[in-house]
């Protein structure tokens, strides 16, 4: 690649060259293309992930200038990158290639005994990984097909990769899609339980299994018994977060103008926090294991706050939801340092309105709970002691001055969710 040629131009050039290659040469060039895709940052990927790319690929298939094996090899790599970069591009969904794949899935499913299982799997994985929307007609076919792959238990590297791709694709099925329990529940429970005992999945595959289940939890609260009491989500998520915190090089690129390319550990950590966000948004029951999980979220925030804004924002969202849903006691929030952390951050010199809004919502929920004596009907002494600890901390940090200083912003309505702060004077009343 010449210095003048950017990565997008190089990919397009290689794609044109495929038309004149043998199958073995195509595979070699596609592996080169996949290496380029893997090294792309978000901006580069968005410029590459275009309708033109997919329509061009579809035309090459139509004219038999590229093998389906080569197509799948390229598209799976592109799709994995899209999911990990949480790209929202709809280019593939609008393409003629997507229409071709959807029709092929339907036709292959109808064959029953003569069905080409490998072809069906490849089609399902590419369709889900690349598209932001799956048709209801294909949903049961895709879920059943990919779970069959994900249930494989061999621990060799090839099988682990197959399982990882299948689970990654499943994790990307939209929250809004109504996936019937009989299609997936026994299978996903088996996958998670088997890993908890035998550790056969990669870290990404295991996170993806939980993400798929948590996406279903969004519209099916009856899964709470399975998620926490049977599969112990909080316990396992805590272990995964603590392991990832140690792996991420938080100071990587410090001093550079901008870090465009995230490392894999950061991407995995962000995906776990997305999963936690759904969990804490809907979870309503107190559980001792949740205390350890929130403590890990606090650790992630402290590690990421100066270096990765997306991750630190997700942490604040999780803590806010946990406080609002009363997942943990105020006393526990104090012990694990959640309240201290928010008080410290709200007085930071670079905190903008969006982040300030997030922090205030989280803290507001903590204070609102302190005011509500119903939580402490028989524990008045404990309630007063907890309130005194928070008051002392606020006094130490000069937090009352901080709130007073924000009044003119609130009155001017500069926050996007103005209604959240209508009762800002009650911050003082709660204490």
């Amino acid at each position: 690649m010449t210095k003048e040629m950017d990565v997008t131009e190089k990919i397009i050039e290689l794609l044109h060259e495929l038309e004149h290659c043998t199958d073995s040469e195509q595979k070699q060039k596609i592996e080169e293309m996949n290496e380029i895709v893997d090294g792309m940052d978000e901006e580069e990927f968005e410029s590459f992930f275009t309708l033109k790319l997919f329509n061009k690929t579809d035309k090459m298939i139509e004219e038999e200038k590229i093998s389906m094996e080569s197509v799948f090899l390229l598209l799976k790599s592109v799709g994995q990158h899209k999911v990990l970069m949480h790209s929202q591009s709809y280019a593939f969904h609008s393409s003629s290639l997507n229409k071709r794949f959807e029709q092929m899935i339907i036709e292959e499913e109808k064959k029953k005994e003569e069905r080409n299982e490998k072809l069906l799997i490849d089609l399902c994985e590419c369709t889900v990984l690349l598209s932001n929307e799956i048709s209801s007609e294909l949903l049961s076919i895709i879920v059943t097909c990919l779970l069959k792959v994900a249930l494989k238990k061999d621990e060799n590297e090839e099988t682990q990769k197959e399982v990882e791709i299948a689970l990654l694709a499943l994790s990307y099925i939209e929250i809004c899609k109504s996936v019937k329990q009989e299609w997936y529940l026994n299978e996903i429970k088996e996958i998670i339980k088997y890993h908890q005992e035998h550790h056969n999945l990669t870290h990404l595959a295991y996170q993806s299994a939980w993400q798929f289940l948590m996406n279903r939890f969004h519209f099916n609260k009856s899964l709470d018994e399975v998620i926490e009491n049977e599969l112990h989500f909080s316990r396992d998520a805590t272990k995964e977060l603590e392991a990832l915190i140690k792996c991420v090089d938080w100071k990587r690129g410090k001093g550079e103008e901008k870090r465009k390319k995230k490392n894999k550990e950061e991407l995995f950590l962000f995906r776990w926090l997305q999963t936690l966000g759904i969990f804490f948004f809907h979870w309503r029951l107190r559980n001792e294991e949740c205390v350890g999980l929130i403590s890990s979220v606090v650790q992630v925030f402290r590690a990421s706050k100066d270096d990765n804004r997306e991750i630190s924002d997700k942490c604040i969202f999780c803590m806010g939801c946990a406080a609002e849903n009363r997942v943990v006691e105020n006393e526990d929030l104090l012990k694990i340092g959640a309240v201290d952390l928010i008080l410290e951050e709200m007085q930071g010199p670079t905190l903008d309105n969006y982040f300030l809004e997030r922090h205030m919502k989280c803290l507001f929920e903590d204070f609102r709970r302190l005011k509500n004596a119903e939580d402490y009907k028989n524990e008045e002494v404990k309630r007063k002691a907890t309130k005194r600890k928070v008051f002392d901390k606020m006094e130490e940090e000069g937090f009352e001055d901080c709130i007073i200083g924000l009044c003119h912003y609130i009155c001017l309505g500069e926050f996007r969710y103005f209604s959240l702060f209508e009762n800002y004077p009650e911050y003082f009343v709660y204490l």
Side-chain angles (χ1 to χ4, degrees), residues 349-365:
T350 60
L351 197 65
D352 63 21
N353 284 356
Y354 177 69
F355 268 68
L356 183 57
E357 168 194 313
R358 289 284 200 189
H359 285 67
M360 289 186 76
K361 182 178 188 298
C362 185
L363 198 61
F364 181 84
E365 296 302 336

Side-chain angles (χ1 to χ4, degrees), residues 196-242:
Q196 288 173 341
E197 185 175 349
H198 300 280
H199 306 287
N200 63 308
L201 301 177
T202 65
H203 288 291
L204 178 57
Y206 189 50
Q207 185 279 325
S208 296
W210 274 115
Q211 183 70 43
F212 171 76
L213 183 58
M214 210 60 71
N215 285 347
R216 313 287 70 83
F217 183 47
H218 188 77
F219 282 113
N220 186 357
K221 307 306 180 292
S222 66
L223 290 172
D224 57 1
E225 177 71 23
V226 171
I227 288 171
E228 196 67 340
N229 296 336
E230 188 173 346
L231 298 178
H232 300 281
F233 170 73
S234 294
R235 180 193 65 194
D236 276 24
T238 300
K239 293 177 183 177
E240 294 290 331
L241 285 186
E242 290 177 349

Side-chain angles (χ1 to χ4, degrees), residues 156-185:
N156 61 71
E157 188 176 344
E158 184 179 350
T159 301
Q160 280 193 326
K161 188 61 180 176
E162 290 176 9
V163 171
E164 181 181 89
I165 295 173
L167 286 170
L168 184 65
L170 284 165
S171 75
Y172 202 56
I173 293 175
E174 312 99 295
I175 285 176
C176 63
K177 287 298 179 183
S178 178
V179 181
K180 296 179 180 178
Q181 278 196 21
E182 57 264 32
W183 296 351
Y184 72 89
L185 188 55

Side-chain angles (χ1 to χ4, degrees), residues 96-109:
S96 57
L97 184 60
N98 182 42
K99 293 180 177 64
R100 176 186 294 275
F101 281 6
E102 288 184 344
Q103 187 60 38
M104 288 177 71
I105 289 171
I106 293 170
E107 291 174 356
E108 203 61 42
E109 173 67 15

Side-chain angles (χ1 to χ4, degrees), residues 57-71:
T57 305
D58 184 55
K59 186 177 180 181
M60 290 174 68
I61 294 172
E62 183 70 28
E63 296 174 351
E64 298 183 350
K65 292 180 177 179
I66 188 171
S67 69
M68 289 304 296
E69 183 182 358
S70 295
V71 170

Side-chain angles (χ1 to χ4, degrees), residues 166-302:
L167 286 170
L168 184 65
L170 284 165
S171 75
Y172 202 56
I173 293 175
E174 312 99 295
I175 285 176
C176 63
K177 287 298 179 183
S178 178
V179 181
K180 296 179 180 178
Q181 278 196 21
E182 57 264 32
W183 296 351
Y184 72 89
L185 188 55
N186 290 335
E187 290 80 359
I188 204 70
K189 283 166 58 177
E190 181 180 342
I191 289 166
I192 291 173
K193 284 182 175 180
Y194 189 85
H195 173 78
Q196 288 173 341
E197 185 175 349
H198 300 280
H199 306 287
N200 63 308
L201 301 177
T202 65
H203 288 291
L204 178 57
Y206 189 50
Q207 185 279 325
S208 296
W210 274 115
Q211 183 70 43
F212 171 76
L213 183 58
M214 210 60 71
N215 285 347
R216 313 287 70 83
F217 183 47
H218 188 77
F219 282 113
N220 186 357
K221 307 306 180 292
S222 66
L223 290 172
D224 57 1
E225 177 71 23
V226 171
I227 288 171
E228 196 67 340
N229 296 336
E230 188 173 346
L231 298 178
H232 300 281
F233 170 73
S234 294
R235 180 193 65 194
D236 276 24
T238 300
K239 293 177 183 177
E240 294 290 331
L241 285 186
E242 290 177 349
L244 283 168
I245 292 170
K246 297 173 184 176
C247 293
V248 175
D249 181 7
W250 295 108
K251 301 305 178 184
R252 180 176 63 88
K254 196 170 182 63
E256 296 177 6
E257 184 178 340
K258 185 179 181 181
R259 292 192 322 154
K260 291 186 176 181
K261 184 76 167 62
K262 299 180 180 69
N263 59 37
K264 287 185 178 180
E265 288 77 15
E266 286 177 292
L267 294 173
F268 293 173
L269 187 53
F270 184 81
R271 282 176 61 82
W272 267 110
L273 289 168
Q274 284 181 310
T275 307
L276 292 181
I278 300 172
F279 174 71
F280 283 123
F281 187 81
H282 296 290
W283 190 253
R284 296 291 189 274
L285 304 175
R286 286 181 182 166
N287 185 308
E288 193 62 35
E289 291 179 349
C290 286
V291 178
L293 184 53
I294 288 294
S295 178
S296 294
V297 172
V298 170
Q299 292 177 50
V300 174
F301 184 91
R302 288 197 179 279

Side-chain angles (χ1 to χ4, degrees), residues 5 7 25 52 109 125 133 141 162 167 255 279 349 365 368 413:
M5 185 179 295
V7 289
E25 289 172 337
K52 180 180 178 181
E109 173 67 15
E125 288 176 346
E133 187 175 334
I141 301 172
E162 290 176 9
L167 286 170
F279 174 71
E365 296 302 336
R368 179 175 60 80

